[in-house]
Amino acid sequence: MKLYEFEAKEILRMYGVGVPESILVLPGDDVAAKIKEAGLEPPLVVKSQVLVAGRGKAGGIKLVKTVEEAVSVAEELWKKPIKGILPGALLIEKAVPHDVELYTSIIIDRSERRPVILASAFGGMDIEEIAREKPDSIVRLYVDPFVGLRGYEAREVGKKIGLKGKVLNSYASFLQVMYKVFTALEAELVESNPLAISGERVVPLDARIIVDDNSLFRHRELLEKRKVEQRGEFTEWEVKGRGQGLPFVELDGDIGIIGNGAGLTMATMDLVYHFGGRPANFLDIGGGARSELVKKAVSFLLEFPKARKVFINVFGGITRGDEVAKGIVEAVRESKAGKPLVVRLSGTREEEGRKILEDAGIYAYKDPVEAVKKVVSL
Amino acid sequence: MKLYEFEAKEILRMYGVGVPESILVLPGDDVAAKIKEAGLEPPLVVKSQVLVAGRGKAGGIKLVKTVEEAVSVAEELWKKPIKGILPGALLIEKAVPHDVELYTSIIIDRSERRPVILASAFGGMDIEEIAREKPDSIVRLYVDPFVGLRGYEAREVGKKIGLKGKVLNSYASFLQVMYKVFTALEAELVESNPLAISGERVVPLDARIIVDDNSLFRHRELLEKRKVEQRGEFTEWEVKGRGQGLPFVELDGDIGIIGNGAGLTMATMDLVYHFGGRPANFLDIGGGARSELVKKAVSFLLEFPKARKVFINVFGGITRGDEVAKGIVEAVRESKAGKPLVVRLSGTREEEGRKILEDAGIYAYKDPVEAVKKVVSL
Amino acid sequence: MAVLVGSETKVLVQGITGREGSFHTKQMLEYGTKIVAGVTPGKGGSEVHGVPVYDSVKEALAENPGINTSIIFVPAPFAPDAVYEAIDAGIKLVVVITEGIPVHDTMRFVNYAKSKGATIIGPNCPGLITPGQSKVGIMPGHIFKPGKVAVVSRSGTLTYEISYMLTREGIGQSTVIGIGGDPIVGLSFTEALKLFEKDEETEALVLIGEIGGDMEERAAAMIKRGEFTKPVVAYIAGRTAPPEKRMGHAGAIIMMGAGTYEGKVKALKDAGVLVAETPFEVPTLVKKALEERKS
Amino acid sequence: MAVLVGSETKVLVQGITGREGSFHTKQMLEYGTKIVAGVTPGKGGSEVHGVPVYDSVKEALAENPGINTSIIFVPAPFAPDAVYEAIDAGIKLVVVITEGIPVHDTMRFVNYAKSKGATIIGPNCPGLITPGQSKVGIMPGHIFKPGKVAVVSRSGTLTYEISYMLTREGIGQSTVIGIGGDPIVGLSFTEALKLFEKDEETEALVLIGEIGGDMEERAAAMIKRGEFTKPVVAYIAGRTAPPEKRMGHAGAIIMMGAGTYEGKVKALKDAGVLVAETPFEVPTLVKKALEERKS
């Protein structure tokens, strides 16, 4: 779950970080009144709250010198899609005078199986850009997950990106808070970029947090407290899919794709491309799907307008062929879409599944290549 | 810092434990109205909120069958001192029907340097009593502080005290919450005794938490949220002393005692006893005391009415003789009590201190035995 | 004896009374796997398909001291505790089938396992099989056959797909390991390669990767350094997946510029690995590799 | 060379620029202790009494590789981090003077130190001294003299008191260790006894205990088992302290029925230890014990 900038900053504030003073503007709010009520003095920064990266370059962040300007910029940003997506809210905050912008993030390093801190004296750019343009500036520190980030280690990172004296201590404290948030929220990413040096303090001008979806059952408050409807990351149909618990990703083609297992589903997409087709989506029913889930997924694609035809590729392990077949048959029976459907079925309870499908007049391929060629040709 | 039962239960509730429904009654509250407002149905238990152990036996816990009875018992308990101390509040909670009472606590084992869980199927008694009467019933489990309490370990403890099936799982979950509280609050003790088995659930009928005073700087909320003034643990003069930051313990004799270091101060008390005197208190100025602290401590004892005379025994290490001497001289200069004062001074900056004292007309002994004999004889 | 599992493997099933645990216990027993005990807290004393059930791993081990492997079907919120229970009881191979375990939990138990000398396979994996000897996982047993080609894969169903093709082409497998699709797994490609390098029965290896992470790149580097000397055929899924979109529950998300399809394929090719364009080329390339090795 | 510290000891002072750190650096230097470096984050580059100050332990060690001991004067909220910094840099003896460290912190760093093979003295302790060679602590140096009697104590000022009496009676000390008054300390009585058992210069030992905990009882059991064979004289403070009242900041609180004065004295006497009724009997008993040993 990606958190909005304003949510991430609220969390940092809870942990004692001095984030810039700000107000959150929701659709329909009177911007001028809210600014005055909060006593926010220009210059201000008006920021589009979307969950896609590269917001600054796409014109989603504007510096304004007066309240009037803030109002007109807000009107403009409400209407301005960032990478195709409109903002869920606007954050208006006091501009922080500063000269230096740092980069700092904490992620999990998959190979080392430990949290790693990435820091650079060159903030404001993406980490990819920094890695390209100033690769030597990136300081890495691996953290022992049973021990946590030590104060002296945080100071070491700060020192290596060139900080000294009181700013160094301020940076080290901030980094320790970032680490606390990282573990408390079970985050995949905690990032501040740019992180400004303002006088003797460090101030996060931006903040990003991605919480591990698998851990959300322990962090219900994040969903419950959400003031803004989930958008700015997903398309209309992706939001619909997620609402039904389907990990559905929309793509540009016309062949609806269902697979079991992310690897097989991706390989199916690759194969469709290989034979000249274009997938309309990615939809992985995972391991051990029961007929209800299969039915839900098939019905969803039968409704999904971009998918002119639907391809189902299942190789059963923990997933059983009979459950898959039952789900398909029920979905088709209840649908009025009349879209062409190609099924390929192998593995656990393959024969039972094949029988169920054939009884309902649906042919099930054994060979995926044949099946893919068929669906592309339709 | 000892927490009141109601505070401990509030914390357990925050962590998801089903504690008995209850209301807190403060001085001046209308008990009947509060019970009705909360919709609490008798039978109820009215419990004196004091911070001393052995409250049940001292008559501080009463079962009542009607609201009227609750009102009259409350009136009685307000006036009933428990081990010399009046309650800070009353807790009135729904009686929980149960047959079995367990004992469970978590403390730090000093020798093993790890948290240890103590559990017994025989609750309701003190752990000392259990240790005396049912020593074999006590189950001990040491916890690795870097790893925490595992679920399977919690189940193992429950199984060893004879629990099975759903009660076992309920007990294991409760024990894991206790451990979470233990670490989150940096507690010295988390205890539930009795912990009742009610149907398939375990319900803490009582709960005690002692938070490490040294960690309170990280747990200010405990002090800030406290609804009840600190009493029920300390005498009037102990509260005064603590208010001034002095670790003052009141005793029964007439010789006021100040020492530096708990060991030396206790040894001084022991020596006073040995030579036939009786200490009026324990007051340790600790290591590295500066003159302001010494002055505060001496002034405090000069005012403390039980102390007919005052004995100061300092052997300087990190504490410096000159600082001690300055503090004594200033305290005596400003005091009108005119109590006899005996000082013994050795160690770091002994000569400088001795000189300051002698300039003010105060003799400083070198030999503590001589000094003790002197103060006892006065 | 191939790697990690074989005829000596004696298995404990944690979460044996659940739907998946019970179903796959039956499947594994039918395959010939030696399943000697199961654990479900609170259900001790019962039986599942003739396998005795205990309340705790300690009790299961006390009665069945030969247990050397555990397979875990416990739901995600409780799975980490089951892993710790297995490791603390001294079991040295723990196969975690469970999907949806929080990554911070996995990070901790994988590090803990390493400190105790235990190997974790998974989580979110199909398990592993040494065909004809022991299946400790949820893969359909009939699609494998004993042989000399190792398969190591991040994807469950793709493993089946490709192994089945190998089998149909007459190419048997030494050991097939589904290492799991989560961002952090207990056994990485490089660690698996180390095991197969030492295994005399393995003559070639099929590596099935995905976009995201840098496990394939690390395996490529290891091969390039000459630390894995047998022929390798690779297939990488996700060539056509858009960047920064997460594909299902998988670890397949391309972040921070690392882990692209192109990057992985380049690294593997540079190390001399034969890279298949589609899964269906794999058997052909394996045959080619084995022939080259012989000549 | 007595135990733990001696003429080879090279000391780093963490928190050297603070009031206590600076004062006791001077005192230790005057005693002859080899203090080679100090650390205060943010104050690197300065000097305290001629000792160079660094920003981090790592930097101090890079410039002064001979450092083998650290003494910590850092305030309680930051002291644990200073301990970890010292241990992680490879220092094997860390003396923690700081008072008021939360006990959960101490529990963790003491366990961590053990796992890394480092010894912690303290916290909340006066440090340790091998008279005439090295003083790593805050005790007044002039009250000690070199000799053959070890002193190990939970109480700072009582240590001074009793050592000074020994000195005045002509009984010198091998090494004097104030192990600290907190509920959890890095070096326990039994661990200290193990060190002194092996030390050839030590002929007898004075143990200064307090009510609370069971460290004295454990030392008694060890002596009874014959694992410490030299004569022991003990004094236990707190005979007249009321139970369940906490005496100052000390670990002296009698809880759960363990750690009473009577229990400790009985255990020690049962083990053949001479127990002094007041601190002032200690020198007499030590003389007696040494004479008995000779005969």
Side-chain angles (χ1 to χ4, degrees):
Chain A
M1 176 188 182
K2 290 185 184 175
L3 300 193
Y4 285 99
E5 176 194 11
F6 77 89
E7 292 173 320
K9 284 184 171 169
E10 213 168 283
I11 287 164
L12 290 176
R13 188 184 288 121
M14 256 174 47
Y15 278 82
V17 172
V19 295
E21 266 183 86
S22 69
I23 55 165
L24 186 70
V25 179
L26 296 174
D29 282 352
D30 179 336
V31 174
K34 276 202 120 175
I35 290 174
K36 277 169 192 157
E37 195 190 313
L40 275 191
E41 294 283 339
L44 302 169
V45 186
V46 187
K47 303 163 101 175
S48 185
Q49 298 296 288
V50 285
L51 294 169
V52 291
R55 176 181 57 153
K57 281 186 198 146
I61 300 176
K62 302 270 184 190
L63 180 69
V64 297
K65 296 215 172 89
T66 64
V67 174
E68 295 67 41
E69 204 187 337
V71 171
S72 70
V73 163
E75 268 170 40
E76 176 196 325
L77 287 185
W78 275 125
K79 290 178 224 146
K80 176 175 207 156
I82 307 293
K83 299 194 176 169
I85 315 255
L86 287 170
L90 302 178
L91 182 68
I92 304 184
E93 55 183 25
K94 264 188 90 83
V96 175
H98 64 278
D99 301 315
V100 181
E101 295 189 346
L102 311 170
Y103 173 92
T104 300
S105 68
I106 309 178
I107 55 171
I108 292 180
D109 185 301
R110 294 162 172 223
S111 298
E112 298 294 329
R113 293 145 174 154
R114 308 193 149 211
V116 61
I117 290 160
L118 301 174
S120 163
F122 299 91
M125 306 184 267
D126 292 350
I127 185 72
E128 290 89 344
E129 266 181 277
I130 302 174
R132 220 165 30 238
E133 294 180 17
K134 302 271 184 188
D136 297 339
S137 80
I138 298 176
V139 172
R140 273 180 190 74
L141 177 83
Y142 291 95
V143 180
D144 180 337
F146 285 98
V147 164
L149 176 67
R150 305 259 164 83
Y152 79 86
E153 293 176 319
R155 287 193 301 271
E156 222 170 86
V157 171
K159 201 156 182 180
K160 283 190 183 156
I161 60 169
L163 306 181
K164 277 180 200 154
K166 289 193 180 165
V167 174
L168 173 59
N169 288 336
S170 164
Y171 177 82
S173 305
F174 176 71
L175 186 50
Q176 283 188 290
V177 170
M178 280 181 76
Y179 191 82
K180 259 191 209 164
V181 169
F182 177 75
T183 52
L185 262 61
E186 307 187 71
E188 292 178 351
L189 167 79
V190 177
E191 184 186 73
S192 179
N193 181 31
L195 173 65
I197 298 181
S198 175
E200 291 182 333
R201 292 170 50 230
V202 298
V203 180
L205 299 187
D206 197 359
R208 272 175 81 199
I209 297 177
I210 304 176
V211 176
D212 175 15
D213 286 339
N214 284 345
S215 80
L216 280 178
F217 71 95
R218 285 195 284 245
H219 304 285
R220 295 242 166 271
E221 75 284 359
L222 292 174
L223 291 164
E224 283 159 13
K225 285 200 323 201
R226 184 153 259 190
K227 297 169 189 162
V228 177
E229 60 171 310
Q230 173 109 353
R231 60 178 190 184
E233 181 180 14
F234 299 110
T235 66
E236 183 196 345
W237 279 84
E238 283 173 347
V239 172
K240 268 192 204 174
R242 299 199 142 225
Q244 297 183 34
L246 298 172
F248 170 88
V249 179
E250 187 170 335
L251 303 169
D252 295 328
D254 63 349
I255 304 179
I257 305 245
I258 291 174
N260 65 323
L264 182 65
T265 313
M266 284 194 289
T268 306
M269 284 162 48
D270 296 349
L271 213 56
V272 165
Y273 262 97
H274 188 79
F275 288 105
R278 289 290 173 269
N281 72 287
F282 167 98
L283 176 48
D284 167 21
I285 55 169
R290 306 196 68 164
S291 64
E292 297 77 36
L293 176 64
V294 176
K295 180 186 166 190
K296 209 197 287 180
V298 176
S299 302
F300 189 80
L301 284 203
L302 290 175
E303 277 171 44
F304 177 49
K306 266 193 185 172
R308 212 167 45 74
K309 42 201 177 183
V310 173
F311 180 41
I312 301 164
N313 188 9
V314 169
F315 199 114
I318 197 166
T319 310
R320 306 188 208 163
D322 52 347
E323 292 282 335
V324 172
K326 259 187 255 173
I328 295 173
V329 168
E330 283 176 35
V332 170
R333 188 178 298 146
E334 290 177 18
S335 169
K336 296 187 180 75
K339 293 182 187 176
L341 187 82
V342 174
V343 179
R344 182 274 176 141
L345 189 63
S346 265
T348 307
R349 303 227 171 152
E350 174 181 331
E351 290 317 315
E352 291 90 332
R354 192 172 302 283
K355 172 129 201 343
I356 293 168
L357 287 168
E358 280 169 9
D359 286 352
I362 301 169
Y363 178 71
Y365 287 83
K366 256 184 189 288
D367 179 1
V369 174
E370 262 180 60
V372 167
K373 282 182 183 162
K374 173 74 185 171
V375 76
V376 170
S377 73
L378 286 174
Chain B
M1 176 185 182
K2 290 184 184 175
L3 300 193
Y4 285 100
E5 177 194 9
F6 77 88
E7 292 173 319
K9 284 185 171 168
E10 212 168 284
I11 287 164
L12 289 176
R13 188 183 289 121
M14 256 173 48
Y15 278 82
V17 172
V19 295
E21 267 183 84
S22 69
I23 55 164
L24 186 71
V25 179
L26 295 175
D29 281 354
D30 180 335
V31 174
K34 277 201 119 176
I35 291 174
K36 278 169 193 158
E37 193 190 315
L40 275 192
E41 293 285 336
L44 302 169
V45 186
V46 187
K47 302 164 99 176
S48 185
Q49 298 295 291
V50 285
L51 294 169
V52 291
R55 177 181 59 151
K57 282 185 200 146
I61 301 176
K62 302 270 184 190
L63 180 70
V64 298
K65 296 213 172 92
T66 64
V67 174
E68 295 68 41
E69 204 188 336
V71 172
S72 70
V73 163
E75 269 170 38
E76 178 197 322
L77 287 185
W78 274 126
K79 290 177 224 146
K80 177 173 204 158
I82 307 291
K83 296 193 179 171
I85 314 256
L86 288 170
L90 301 178
L91 182 68
I92 303 185
E93 57 183 24
K94 264 187 91 82
V96 176
H98 65 278
D99 301 315
V100 181
E101 296 190 343
L102 310 170
Y103 173 92
T104 301
S105 68
I106 309 177
I107 55 173
I108 293 180
D109 185 301
R110 294 162 173 223
S111 298
E112 297 295 329
R113 293 146 174 153
R114 307 192 151 213
V116 61
I117 289 160
L118 300 175
S120 163
F122 299 91
M125 306 183 269
D126 291 351
I127 185 71
E128 290 89 344
E129 265 180 280
I130 302 175
R132 219 164 32 236
E133 294 179 18
K134 302 272 184 187
D136 296 340
S137 80
I138 299 176
V139 172
R140 275 179 189 75
L141 177 82
Y142 292 95
V143 180
D144 181 336
F146 285 97
V147 162
L149 176 67
R150 305 258 163 84
Y152 79 85
E153 293 177 318
R155 287 194 300 271
E156 221 170 88
V157 171
K159 199 156 183 184
K160 283 192 184 155
I161 60 168
L163 306 181
K164 275 178 200 152
K166 290 196 178 162
V167 174
L168 174 58
N169 288 337
S170 163
Y171 176 82
S173 306
F174 176 71
L175 186 50
Q176 283 188 290
V177 170
M178 279 181 77
Y179 191 82
K180 260 192 207 163
V181 169
F182 177 76
T183 51
L185 263 62
E186 305 187 70
E188 293 179 350
L189 168 78
V190 176
E191 184 186 73
S192 178
N193 181 31
L195 174 64
I197 299 182
S198 177
E200 291 182 333
R201 292 170 50 231
V202 297
V203 180
L205 300 187
D206 197 359
R208 273 174 81 199
I209 296 176
I210 304 176
V211 175
D212 175 17
D213 287 339
N214 284 345
S215 80
L216 280 178
F217 71 94
R218 286 195 283 246
H219 304 284
R220 296 241 166 270
E221 73 285 359
L222 292 174
L223 291 164
E224 283 159 12
K225 284 198 328 199
R226 183 152 258 189
K227 295 168 190 163
V228 176
E229 59 171 312
Q230 172 111 352
R231 62 181 191 180
E233 182 181 13
F234 300 110
T235 66
E236 184 195 343
W237 279 85
E238 283 173 348
V239 172
K240 267 192 206 175
R242 297 197 143 226
Q244 296 182 35
L246 298 172
F248 171 86
V249 179
E250 187 169 335
L251 302 169
D252 294 329
D254 63 349
I255 304 179
I257 306 245
I258 290 174
N260 66 320
L264 182 64
T265 312
M266 283 195 288
T268 306
M269 282 162 52
D270 295 348
L271 213 58
V272 164
Y273 262 97
H274 189 79
F275 287 105
R278 290 290 172 269
N281 73 287
F282 166 98
L283 176 47
D284 167 21
I285 54 170
R290 306 195 68 161
S291 64
E292 297 78 33
L293 176 63
V294 176
K295 180 186 167 193
K296 209 198 287 179
V298 176
S299 302
F300 189 79
L301 283 201
L302 289 175
E303 276 172 44
F304 177 48
K306 266 194 185 171
R308 211 168 47 75
K309 44 203 178 183
V310 173
F311 180 41
I312 301 165
N313 187 10
V314 169
F315 199 114
I318 197 166
T319 311
R320 306 189 207 162
D322 53 346
E323 292 281 336
V324 172
K326 260 189 252 171
I328 295 174
V329 168
E330 282 176 35
V332 169
R333 189 180 296 146
E334 289 177 17
S335 168
K336 295 186 180 77
K339 291 183 187 175
L341 187 83
V342 175
V343 179
R344 183 272 178 143
L345 189 64
S346 264
T348 307
R349 303 227 171 151
E350 175 181 330
E351 290 317 315
E352 291 89 332
R354 193 173 301 283
K355 174 135 199 335
I356 293 168
L357 286 168
E358 280 167 10
D359 286 352
I362 301 170
Y363 177 70
Y365 287 82
K366 256 184 188 288
D367 179 358
V369 174
E370 260 180 61
V372 167
K373 283 183 182 165
K374 173 74 186 173
V375 75
V376 170
S377 74
L378 287 173
Chain C
M1 69 133 266
V3 306
L4 292 170
V5 298
S7 51
E8 301 303 303
T9 297
K10 287 194 176 140
V11 180
L12 173 75
V13 179
Q14 290 179 257
I16 193 169
T17 59
R19 182 176 169 266
E20 299 304 332
S22 155
F23 176 78
H24 287 287
T25 294
K26 186 151 174 275
Q27 299 282 313
M28 286 188 278
L29 284 168
E30 283 170 6
Y31 192 77
T33 304
K34 294 179 186 108
I35 297 186
V36 295
V39 165
T40 296
K43 302 256 172 100
S46 57
E47 275 197 358
V48 171
H49 305 303
V51 175
V53 179
Y54 301 87
D55 276 331
S56 71
V57 174
K58 211 187 252 180
E59 286 166 30
L61 271 162
E63 307 258 324
N64 308 277
I67 291 168
N68 53 21
T69 299
S70 179
I71 181 166
I72 291 180
F73 290 96
V74 172
F78 311 105
D81 189 59
V83 175
Y84 288 121
E85 188 175 1
I87 297 170
D88 288 349
I91 297 176
K92 295 297 180 207
L93 178 62
V94 182
V95 181
V96 188
I97 304 301
T98 312
E99 179 180 335
I101 299 177
V103 66
H104 280 242
D105 278 337
T106 302
M107 177 169 69
R108 277 190 297 266
F109 71 65
V110 164
N111 276 286
Y112 185 75
K114 187 169 271 181
S115 77
K116 300 284 174 179
T119 299
I120 306 276
I121 310 289
N124 189 16
C125 81
L128 71 172
I129 182 169
T130 295
Q133 295 187 38
S134 188
K135 172 181 117 165
V136 184
I138 60 174
M139 56 285 278
H142 71 275
I143 63 174
F144 301 93
K145 79 167 212 172
K148 312 224 157 196
V149 174
V151 178
V152 53
S153 168
R154 279 170 70 185
S155 154
T157 39
L158 261 182
T159 314
Y160 314 157
E161 192 76 87
I162 289 173
S163 300
Y164 197 24
M165 285 189 287
L166 290 171
T167 297
R168 281 180 302 190
E169 298 287 328
I171 306 167
Q173 302 93 39
S174 55
T175 299
V176 176
I177 310 177
I179 63 169
D182 276 2
I184 292 195
V185 290
L187 188 83
S188 68
F189 279 151
T190 47
E191 288 156 341
L193 260 57
K194 266 179 221 160
L195 296 174
F196 284 117
E197 174 70 9
K198 277 186 270 175
D199 176 45
E200 288 180 10
E201 312 219 347
T202 299
E203 293 187 354
L205 182 137
V206 174
L207 185 151
I208 305 171
E210 277 179 14
I211 51 171
D214 66 352
M215 231 188 246
E216 293 81 4
E217 288 86 338
R218 291 202 175 215
M222 181 182 167
I223 296 163
K224 203 169 182 179
R225 284 196 306 271
E227 293 166 22
F228 187 79
T229 57
K230 304 177 186 186
V232 179
V233 172
Y235 169 72
I236 308 293
R239 180 181 204 169
T240 59
E244 274 241 17
K245 285 262 186 184
R246 191 174 305 234
M247 296 294 124
H249 290 295
I253 178 170
I254 306 174
M255 272 174 74
M256 315 262 158
T260 62
Y261 179 84
E262 291 72 22
K264 287 178 192 299
V265 169
K266 186 174 182 308
L268 289 164
K269 285 190 170 164
D270 282 355
V273 171
L274 300 171
V275 180
E277 286 241 348
T278 76
F280 309 94
E281 281 179 53
V282 171
T284 320
L285 292 177
V286 170
K287 277 185 194 165
K288 194 177 149 197
L290 285 171
E291 275 159 25
E292 276 175 16
R293 185 171 156 94
K294 274 184 198 143
S295 64
Chain D
M1 71 133 264
V3 307
L4 293 170
V5 299
S7 50
E8 299 304 302
T9 297
K10 286 195 177 140
V11 180
L12 172 74
V13 179
Q14 289 179 260
I16 194 169
T17 58
R19 181 175 168 266
E20 299 304 331
S22 154
F23 176 78
H24 286 288
T25 295
K26 186 151 176 273
Q27 299 281 312
M28 286 187 279
L29 284 169
E30 284 171 5
Y31 192 77
T33 305
K34 291 177 188 112
I35 297 186
V36 295
V39 165
T40 296
K43 301 259 172 97
S46 58
E47 274 197 0
V48 170
H49 306 302
V51 175
V53 179
Y54 300 87
D55 276 330
S56 72
V57 174
K58 211 186 251 180
E59 287 167 30
L61 271 162
E63 306 258 324
N64 308 276
I67 291 168
N68 52 22
T69 300
S70 178
I71 182 166
I72 291 181
F73 290 96
V74 172
F78 311 104
D81 190 59
V83 174
Y84 288 120
E85 187 174 2
I87 297 170
D88 288 349
I91 296 177
K92 293 299 178 205
L93 179 62
V94 182
V95 181
V96 188
I97 303 301
T98 311
E99 181 179 333
I101 298 178
V103 66
H104 281 242
D105 278 338
T106 302
M107 178 169 67
R108 278 190 296 268
F109 71 63
V110 164
N111 276 287
Y112 186 75
K114 186 170 274 181
S115 77
K116 300 283 173 181
T119 300
I120 305 276
I121 310 289
N124 189 18
C125 81
L128 71 173
I129 182 169
T130 293
Q133 294 187 40
S134 186
K135 171 182 118 164
V136 184
I138 60 173
M139 57 285 277
H142 71 273
I143 62 173
F144 301 93
K145 80 168 214 173
K148 313 226 156 195
V149 174
V151 178
V152 53
S153 169
R154 280 171 69 186
S155 155
T157 38
L158 261 182
T159 315
Y160 312 158
E161 191 77 84
I162 289 173
S163 301
Y164 196 24
M165 285 189 287
L166 290 171
T167 297
R168 279 179 303 187
E169 297 287 326
I171 306 166
Q173 302 93 39
S174 53
T175 300
V176 177
I177 310 177
I179 63 169
D182 276 1
I184 292 195
V185 290
L187 188 82
S188 67
F189 278 152
T190 48
E191 289 158 340
L193 259 57
K194 265 179 222 160
L195 297 174
F196 283 118
E197 175 70 10
K198 276 186 270 176
D199 176 45
E200 289 180 11
E201 312 218 346
T202 298
E203 293 188 355
L205 181 137
V206 173
L207 184 151
I208 306 171
E210 276 178 15
I211 52 170
D214 65 352
M215 230 188 245
E216 293 80 4
E217 288 87 338
R218 292 202 174 216
M222 182 183 167
I223 295 164
K224 203 169 182 182
R225 286 194 306 271
E227 293 166 22
F228 188 79
T229 58
K230 302 174 187 187
V232 179
V233 172
Y235 170 72
I236 308 294
R239 180 180 202 169
T240 59
E244 276 242 17
K245 285 262 186 183
R246 191 173 305 233
M247 297 293 124
H249 289 296
I253 179 171
I254 307 175
M255 271 175 75
M256 316 266 157
T260 63
Y261 178 82
E262 291 73 22
K264 288 179 191 297
V265 168
K266 186 173 180 305
L268 289 164
K269 284 190 172 165
D270 282 355
V273 171
L274 301 172
V275 180
E277 287 242 345
T278 75
F280 308 94
E281 279 178 55
V282 171
T284 319
L285 292 177
V286 169
K287 275 185 195 167
K288 194 178 146 195
L290 285 171
E291 274 159 25
E292 275 173 18
R293 183 170 157 95
K294 273 182 198 147
S295 63

